Amino acid sequence: MKRGFYTIMSAQFFSSLADQALFVVAVDLMRNAGAPEWQRAALVPIFAVFYVVLAPLVGAFADALPKGRVMFVSNAIKVFGCLMMLFGSHPLLSYSIVGLGAAAYSPAKYGILTELLPASQLVKANGWIEGLTIASILLGIVLGGSLVGHAVSSKLLAFDMPFIDTGIDSPAEAALSVLIVVYMVAAWFNTRIPHTGVEMRPMRSNPEHSLARNLVGLLPDFWHCNARLWRDRLGQISLATTTLFWGAGGNLKYIVLAWASLALGYNTTQASILTGVVTIGTAVGAIVASMRMRLDMATRVIPMGIAMGLMVICMNFIGNVWLAVPFLIILGGLGGFLVAPMNALLQHRGHNLMGAGRSIAVQNFNEQACILLLGGFYSVCTGLGLSAYGAISAFGFVVAGCMWIIKRWHENNLKKYPEEVEHLLAIARSDKHH
């Protein structure tokens, strides 16, 4: 791996660590302020919605400037949102600003991999990036909980700067101050990310038009990129697979909570630990895939998606924690082994077709839309009176069924367009075309 890859990993780790910890701190801040339950629940969608709404803008923005600079600017937006929360802005508004920064950050952090590394190293890079991101999610939740806990917050509040009244007098405010420092560490790593030498693609704009009109003008370009990736014989398969995976994975944490409460009698705190078990399995699966898979072998992991859906249904037959833990680790491991090579293949095709930033923005748009769609489907199932067991079964059947359709789709491509698919696979095997 090139030296710059480790700098990217470090920047991503600290930025994601702060994002996850900030979520916990925001929940604690709203709970102590007596905010209603719906506002706390709204933290999740308000963070994700910018990935969908701003996809046309952030992809073009990521391709118009060096990726390291985009990551620095995006991280600065996160710091601004954190400062807003520290100085009394409503946590929902402040966290939405952080979500804006995260939406802009994503196309750059993944897009730079295709600019920096040859095709032969993309699966390996994705495995480590995914594993590190999942580790940062787990550690970030622990960090956020520790910062607002009495043991750590009492020490932070006891610290006084000579001759300066900071005005920080609550555990949440002390925690926010620490997280600003973590974001600044990530920003420092952003400044160390090397320029890849890839030609920039300026955002299309007309100086005679207003800013709003220029932003609207980006929509045709985005939809063209979206359609182009869906038409590509390998891009469509990898995009469909990753979209379904993240759509299912984004809702799986809620499903695990509901299942653990019903099947094991767990409260929310205990059930959240089992959610962490799934993410540990995902990290391990992603790292194993990075060591064993190549880019041209990515489509071979599709059956694992079918197995994931069927395993979700099998959760209904588990009523013992000693069976649940290894089961959830395997479930997460299948997902990690599936997503690392598929993410790499999607980045590779997107980089060749339209530019790294735009392709990641298309990916984010589809994945986040799938999270909202599958989340709505699960909510409708429960709203219609299905028990948690019934809703889990329906969810599992949908995931397994969709993955089977994707498998048949790829097999049909191999039969109808063998020369085109083989040509694309040959490109994936060679670093010269990347």
Side-chain angles (χ1 to χ4, degrees), residues 130 134 245-246 249 252 256 274-289 304 307-309 311-312 315 324-340:
E130 292 297 340
I134 292 166
F245 171 82
W246 289 114
L252 190 60
V256 171
L274 289 181
T275 304
V277 168
V278 178
T279 58
I280 291 172
T282 306
V284 173
I287 293 173
V288 172
M304 292 186 176
M308 278 185 62
M311 285 190 70
V312 170
M315 288 170 59
V325 170
F327 178 87
L328 293 175
I329 290 175
I330 294 172
L331 178 61
L334 285 175
F337 201 93
L338 170 78
V339 76

Side-chain angles (χ1 to χ4, degrees), residues 362-384:
V362 168
Q363 182 180 354
N364 285 340
F365 171 82
N366 285 278
E367 290 171 358
Q368 297 298 324
C370 188
I371 288 176
L372 297 175
L373 182 64
L374 287 181
F377 170 76
Y378 183 78
S379 299
V380 168
C381 286
T382 55
L384 291 175

Side-chain angles (χ1 to χ4, degrees), residues 55-56 63 201 204 216-232 239 349-350 352-355 358-359 361-363 365-366:
D63 283 336
R201 303 187 182 195
R204 297 177 182 177
V216 171
L218 292 172
L219 288 174
D221 178 61
F222 173 77
W223 289 118
H224 171 73
C225 291
N226 189 53
R228 194 174 182 188
L229 201 49
W230 277 113
R231 286 195 299 264
D232 186 83
L239 181 55
R349 293 306 308 145
N352 280 272
L353 289 171
M354 66 198 66
R358 283 173 170 81
S359 71
V362 168
Q363 182 180 354
F365 171 82
N366 285 278

